[in-house]
Amino acid sequence: MFTKTFDVQSIRADFPILHQLHHADVPLTYLDNAASTQKPQAVIHALSDYYSRYNANVHRGIHKLSEEATAAYEGARKKLQKFIHAKSYREILFTSGTTEGINLVAQTWGRANLQAGDLVILTEMEHHSNIVPWQILAAEKGFNLRYLPILPDGTLDLGVYEALLRDHPVKLVSLVHGSNVLGTINPIETIITQAHARGARVLVDAAQTAPHLPLDVQALDVDFLAFSGHKMLGPTGIGVLYGKRALLEAMPPWMGGGDMIAEVRLEGSTWNELPYKFEAGTPHIAGAIVLGHAVDYLHQVGIDAIHAHVEALTQYALEKLRAFPRLTIYGDAPKRGGVAAFSLAGIHAHDLAQLLDQEGIAVRAGHHCTQPLHRKLDLAATTRASFYLYNTFEEVDRLIRALEKISHVFERG
Ligand code: C6P
């Protein structure tokens, strides 16, 4: 049936937070990985090591500490370059996360390239961070937004996509790779090829896929790709925006300040080379270095192995959840990531999450920053379990047992 060969126990041993009682008498079952992941000891150590041994500003000082910090910061950039197979380290911009990456593209590339009459295609399953930046800019520039509809199984209606590309001046397609609610993995390869055939650019939100799917930006030929460090064992406040070099070169800078300039005169300024043109001010040095260590850890375990484990766990969970009485799962795409959003009839999503918490199980409840998607599904909120490399089949069983217990209490009540 499901492969259980992944050495999850030795992985779990690396994550100190997992070995605690959640409440007085129940162990922690952490199933909120789509929101943020836990950190292995190597990553925690890298953070304290940076602050204990070589904390200094980068690109500025000529003293040893600054040189060391700069080497580690730029070394991390190269690790991230390799992680997504970018051609050059100059195409890797450190941001605060996916949200900032998308806003950066909107405010620089978007501001310079989108105008009244143009069409930008988004989808109905986008996270707010890939809707609101475009709405803000569209209100100012007067271009149009269209959202690709979702079919009943949670996949995108690609017929509508082809028609929009054929009939409208589409300038940009900006879409999520893996939905944080439906789990759907969108066929970005085809979407990118079709967009390019019509001269449109593509931005991919890889917040939910970078943590467990091998990504190759050159093979994909994607124009921009954004992801967050904290969803892939790294710290909060750090993420990556990949952009094709020629596009980044042509884009105006976003924030102005130190480090992003070549020369400043009172009459005007010129810009630093890539990637520094887009990294104004003191960057999140510790965050970037530590994210590099998170990537090392992911490589050690193996992204393919992590993906296979997450997929097996998710399939196992979905099979059990599907058999659960009065439970509805949202999304039935053939290719999906490690999330399962569901409702249990008669129990509000937040109450359910709270009751699961009492059983030691951490899940998320709410609209998961996808209000338009929830509105489309005619739901105010869902409860969501999400899985990662340190989760076990036993933990899925624990979730099911807890749901049974809660369900019985509600039935009796
Ligand atoms: N989703 C979730 O619980 P930031 O906050 O910038 O690191 O990531 C934003 C983001 C963008 N796109 C997708 C697909 C996402 O899932 C997220 C973050 C979290 O689902 C927090 S709302």
Side-chain angles (χ1 to χ4, degrees), residues 32 34-35 97-100 127 129 176 178-180 205 207-208 228 230-231 364 368-369 384:
D32 194 17
T98 308
T99 303
E100 190 180 67
H127 187 273
S129 60
V176 72
S179 161
N180 64 329
D205 166 356
Q208 294 294 348
S228 302
H230 68 99
K231 292 189 199 290
R364 187 170 173 192
H368 316 295
C369 299
R384 183 189 67 187

Side-chain angles (χ1 to χ4, degrees), residues 135-198:
Q135 289 176 336
I136 291 171
L137 193 65
E140 188 187 315
K141 302 285 247 170
F143 58 83
N144 297 311
L145 296 174
R146 289 288 289 271
Y147 299 87
L148 293 184
I150 298 165
L151 297 169
D153 67 353
T155 58
L156 290 174
D157 189 336
L158 295 177
V160 171
Y161 178 55
E162 281 159 29
L164 285 175
L165 280 178
R166 194 181 52 234
D167 301 337
H168 296 270
V170 178
K171 277 277 182 66
L172 176 74
V173 181
S174 188
L175 86 161
V176 72
H177 191 191
S179 161
N180 64 329
V181 176
L182 303 170
T184 313
I185 305 282
N186 289 314
I188 53 169
E189 299 82 355
T190 323
I191 287 171
I192 293 167
T193 308
Q194 290 176 333
H196 286 172
R198 305 295 298 177

